Amino acid sequence: MSNRFDLLIKSGRVIDGTGNPYFKADIGISGGRIALIARDIDPAAAEKTLSADTLTVCPGFIDAHSHDDVYLLSNPQCDEKILQGVTTNVIGNCGISVSPVSKAHSAEMNSFLAVMCGQQVSTEALNFHTFGDYLAKLESLKPGMNVLPLVGHSTVRIAAMGAANRAPSETELKEMTGHVAHAMEEGAFGLSTGLIYAPSNYARTEELLELAKVAGRFHGIYTTHMRSEGDAEPAAIEEALRIGREAGIPVHISHHKVLGKENWGKSVDTLKRMAEARNQGLEVTCDQYPYRAGSTFLAAVLPPAVLAGGPAVFTGKLKDKSFRAQVVETIERGSAPGWENLIKGAGFDGLVISVSKHEDYVGKSVADIAKREKKTPYDVIFDLVAEESLGCIIILFMMDEADITRIMRNAWTMIGSDGIPGFGVKKVHPRMSGTFPRILGRYVREQGVLTLEEAIRKMTSLSAQTFGARGKGLLKEGFDADVVVFDPATVQDLATYEEPNQGPVGIRYVLVNGEIAAQDGKVTGATSGKVLRHSM
């Protein structure tokens, strides 16, 4: 054989990402790409050989929904994801990207980025202004994984008009569309929205339509954390579908779920509506994380109007007793225009602190803290938000297992962690460290919700196809050599709500563009990742 390989994966059960059954083959890798897939390749033709006998070999996993934008700047290897087998990370979700940033509103943007990292970030010090500035910085750090960026609506809105709770002026809207166009030109794969979060929540559908049209002209995608995943979810889905139809752009619904016990079972209706839209010719997909609890920053449980003006404003207002009384009244009424009442959906017992300056609060519910501190649960929330702004993170127990498995079986559902980084120390949601092995261990091997082949398709080629990641998502000759080798009999997540920073077991090797990035549960320090850029 005349072929020479940098690396040979020998004797594995190959699941190629298409959903087809496994086949036995060897995989020869050269120059970061898959050069040959065949039986009985001579090991002498390779510089290095990895034995995959009795193991499964599949494409590297694609995290369809991450919040590692800031984390990657301090840990470009993104250990928690690499150890799970994730080789490509979709960032910029829920309307939150690191850039673009305007000088006029940089302070508001710095505070807003605390959503992703629980601490202040100085975009001035990092010299981020355009979307391309961030990508260039990330590239210079030599990431250990591939990064697929989206541009966030909240970020664009802050750059043009700060955290104002109003419709944009004609000039401001023009500036926003310009930011989106520039980001798409510099490599963004699409536009994301986070419509339960201020300031994205302040936007009317017409504003979102104008921005989605711009992304659509570049053949991008519109991803959305919808205005509601609970009581008003049907209307929220209709808004997303309208934007897709009128903007001529594919729609991707982020972390699809059904919140609140009174809504459990309604995934039957949400999936039916998506199916109808697909039958009518609209490309609709969704992602999901495999847990009953979600996670967000504590301030998100407050009505959006409370957060107007940004942290510098609302932290001060929340110290006023009369203002607090008005907020309580709004929450107790159950709703406000365009607002998801998370307190109603989870209850104070279901709101658990995971990141806080008050270390003794971590792992405790708001109800428990209120009892201990002899405060009302509302005052616990107000005090924490007033003190920590967007830095206090919570875990919310609001979903039903039957909805989770129904959504998981759906053909166009892919997997996204929605993980919030804890920088290795904080007790964040276990999905940051456990999402993908949890699918393989709990939902494939233990419960049989998915076949192994279908689970891998959802974690690889479906995401690559949806977001337009060329050369990713399949084990195919000529494709990038992003590969996971794992033991289907033992692969399992170990991360729990109590101890969330534990890596999985059962994953033998993770390759990123042909380089070994993790081996037997340890990150190697490889820097072979690429910052992907969208092209028409």
Side-chain angles (χ1 to χ4, degrees), residues 9-321:
I9 301 175
K10 190 76 180 162
S11 305
R13 293 185 176 186
V14 176
I15 298 180
D16 64 6
T18 62
N20 290 335
Y22 81 82
F23 58 95
K24 292 185 178 181
D26 304 335
I27 300 176
I29 295 168
S30 294
R33 295 179 182 271
I34 298 171
L36 181 66
I37 301 177
R39 287 180 179 267
D40 300 322
I41 299 175
D42 185 357
E47 296 295 322
K48 182 180 179 66
T49 299
L50 304 179
S51 173
D53 188 34
T54 74
L55 302 176
T56 293
V57 183
C58 72
F61 304 143
I62 298 174
D63 189 342
H65 190 102
S66 86
H67 290 287
D68 296 323
D69 309 52
V70 171
Y71 188 46
L72 283 162
L73 297 175
S74 61
N75 181 4
Q77 276 67 58
C78 207
D79 301 34
E80 292 91 336
K81 297 295 178 66
I82 287 291
L83 292 174
Q84 293 183 62
V86 173
T87 58
T88 300
N89 229 7
V90 180
I91 63 171
N93 285 287
C94 292
I96 310 165
S97 58
V98 174
S99 53
V101 180
S102 67
K103 291 183 179 179
H105 300 291
S106 62
E108 288 158 290
M109 188 62 206
N110 294 344
S111 296
F112 185 68
L113 287 178
V115 174
M116 284 189 287
C117 63
Q119 60 188 28
Q120 293 294 315
V121 175
S122 173
T123 54
E124 298 99 321
L126 294 170
N127 200 28
F128 293 151
H129 296 288
T130 70
F131 194 77
D133 288 340
Y134 169 75
L135 299 188
K137 176 65 175 180
L138 191 55
E139 215 158 34
S140 74
L141 295 173
K142 300 184 182 302
M145 66 194 320
N146 305 303
V147 180
L148 189 156
L150 305 170
V151 62
H153 166 249
S154 284
T155 301
V156 166
R157 202 176 207 269
I158 290 172
M161 54 187 295
N165 183 4
R166 58 174 173 78
S169 67
E170 186 176 338
T171 299
E172 289 166 338
L173 183 58
K174 185 177 180 180
E175 183 179 344
M176 291 164 67
T177 57
H179 282 312
V180 173
H182 197 193
M184 296 300 295
E185 289 168 351
E186 292 183 316
F189 282 74
L191 171 72
S192 77
T193 58
L195 299 177
I196 73 161
Y197 303 124
S200 204
N201 179 274
Y202 304 147
R204 297 174 182 171
T205 306
E206 290 71 24
E207 174 185 323
L208 305 175
L209 259 170
E210 291 306 307
L211 301 182
K213 286 176 183 177
V214 176
R217 288 203 300 268
F218 288 86
H219 300 164
I221 190 170
Y222 172 72
T223 76
T224 181
H225 181 154
M226 300 185 298
R227 291 191 198 273
S228 174
E229 296 171 321
D231 294 352
E233 190 163 15
I237 290 176
E238 291 306 321
E239 179 184 44
L241 299 181
R242 177 191 166 191
I243 290 169
R245 285 192 307 269
E246 296 186 23
I249 191 170
V251 173
H252 181 78
I253 294 174
S254 298
H255 40 62
H256 183 40
K257 62 178 79 73
V258 177
L259 297 181
K261 191 170 184 178
E262 64 277 13
N263 295 310
W264 289 355
K266 292 182 180 178
S267 58
V268 172
D269 301 320
T270 63
L271 295 173
K272 180 181 178 182
R273 185 65 191 97
M274 289 184 220
E276 291 170 350
R278 289 188 63 86
N279 289 338
Q280 293 163 1
L282 180 61
E283 296 174 66
V284 184
T285 53
C286 64
D287 64 67
Q288 174 196 45
Y289 53 82
Y291 295 88
R292 286 191 57 244
S295 184
T296 188
F297 54 103
L298 179 60
V301 306
L302 302 177
V306 174
L307 308 180
V313 176
F314 68 70
T315 53
K317 290 166 69 175
L318 283 171
K319 295 173 184 176
D320 180 77
K321 289 185 178 181

Side-chain angles (χ1 to χ4, degrees), residues 262-519:
E262 64 277 13
N263 295 310
W264 289 355
K266 292 182 180 178
S267 58
V268 172
D269 301 320
T270 63
L271 295 173
K272 180 181 178 182
R273 185 65 191 97
M274 289 184 220
E276 291 170 350
R278 289 188 63 86
N279 289 338
Q280 293 163 1
L282 180 61
E283 296 174 66
V284 184
T285 53
C286 64
D287 64 67
Q288 174 196 45
Y289 53 82
Y291 295 88
R292 286 191 57 244
S295 184
T296 188
F297 54 103
L298 179 60
V301 306
L302 302 177
V306 174
L307 308 180
V313 176
F314 68 70
T315 53
K317 290 166 69 175
L318 283 171
K319 295 173 184 176
D320 180 77
K321 289 185 178 181
S322 61
F323 182 74
R324 289 186 177 198
Q326 295 172 26
V327 176
V328 171
E329 184 181 351
T330 300
I331 295 172
E332 288 294 315
R333 280 203 307 267
S335 65
W339 170 52
E340 184 84 272
N341 192 335
L342 298 178
I343 292 177
K344 175 187 175 186
F348 295 116
D349 286 321
L351 301 178
V352 177
I353 305 299
S354 65
V355 176
S356 173
K357 294 176 182 177
H358 296 265
E359 294 184 5
D360 54 332
Y361 287 3
V362 173
K364 305 291 194 303
S365 72
V366 168
D368 289 338
I369 295 168
K371 187 179 297 184
R372 192 184 83 177
E373 300 289 350
K374 295 181 171 53
K375 296 180 179 179
T376 70
Y378 284 114
D379 280 330
V380 169
I381 293 171
F382 296 148
D383 287 345
L384 281 170
V385 174
E387 179 184 352
E388 302 188 34
S389 182
L390 303 176
C392 184
I393 307 297
I394 53 171
I395 292 172
L396 309 89
F397 291 85
M398 301 178 68
M399 281 89 81
D400 182 54
E401 191 70 21
D403 286 312
I404 292 171
T405 55
R406 184 180 296 113
I407 293 169
M408 190 179 293
R409 288 190 177 104
N410 175 60
W412 57 84
T413 300
M414 60 206 73
I415 306 303
S417 70
D418 196 17
I420 299 174
F423 291 83
V425 293
K426 297 174 181 175
K427 288 200 173 185
V428 296
H429 195 296
R431 63 193 181 188
M432 182 68 186
S433 296
T435 292
F436 291 84
R438 183 175 176 85
I439 293 287
L440 298 172
R442 178 183 175 90
Y443 290 97
V444 173
R445 184 180 65 245
E446 296 175 3
Q447 296 187 5
V449 173
L450 300 172
T451 66
L452 186 56
E453 291 84 356
E454 179 65 3
I456 289 171
R457 181 188 73 85
K458 288 174 172 291
M459 297 193 289
T460 59
S461 67
L462 179 57
S463 298
Q465 172 184 294
T466 298
F467 289 95
R470 296 177 181 174
K472 304 293 184 186
L474 292 172
L475 294 183
K476 183 178 180 180
E477 291 175 8
F479 271 48
D480 296 331
D482 297 332
V483 185
V484 179
V485 181
F486 68 94
D487 184 351
T490 62
V491 64
Q492 186 66 60
D493 63 309
L494 299 181
T496 64
Y497 294 107
E498 294 75 26
E499 297 295 337
N501 298 318
Q502 301 182 92
V505 294
I507 295 180
R508 186 71 54 85
Y509 301 105
V510 181
L511 276 65
V512 177
N513 297 309
E515 298 289 330
I516 300 175
Q519 181 173 345

